[in-house]
Amino acid sequence: MNVYDFDKTIYKNDSTADFFLYCLRKHPRIIGILPSICAGFVKYYIFRKGTKTQFKEKIFKFVNYIDYEKDIREFWNKKQR
């Protein structure tokens, strides 16, 4: 099941951004891909080049640095209210 929370009734923040920051704190080696993410941000949002999919591909490279099943479970256990 996919759930979309456009009016922020389920989770008050952007869960993708919060999960990324959580993983960045837990796995500092993700810092190594920040230049690529920043370049993708500038390219897509500032210069309007490329696609949103290409930008997201850069961002989600961080999952290669984590134990996503464990980290997702820990993230939601911490954030669930």
Side-chain angles (χ1 to χ4, degrees):
M1 170 175 35
N2 291 327
V3 176
Y4 300 95
D5 186 24
F6 298 113
D7 61 355
K8 300 190 187 289
T9 55
I10 298 171
Y11 187 77
K12 67 178 181 167
N13 298 320
D14 180 338
S15 60
T16 302
D18 285 354
F19 182 63
F20 174 79
L21 293 173
Y22 171 82
C23 290
L24 184 61
R25 285 188 295 274
K26 189 169 178 180
H27 306 281
R29 62 186 180 195
I30 294 172
I31 290 171
I33 64 168
L34 284 181
S36 174
I37 292 171
C38 290
F41 177 85
V42 168
K43 180 180 176 182
Y44 181 70
Y45 284 103
I46 305 296
F47 295 116
R48 303 288 185 207
K49 302 284 184 187
T51 65
K52 192 170 194 175
T53 299
Q54 290 170 325
F55 172 60
K56 286 185 175 190
E57 285 173 350
K58 290 205 180 289
I59 290 175
F60 285 105
K61 284 185 180 181
F62 82 91
V63 299
N64 294 321
Y65 295 83
I66 67 172
D67 177 349
Y68 55 88
E69 288 186 20
K70 179 182 176 202
D71 290 332
I72 288 170
R73 187 173 35 258
E74 289 175 358
F75 172 78
W76 283 114
N77 284 339
K78 183 177 178 183
K79 296 291 184 176
Q80 189 175 5
R81 293 184 196 121

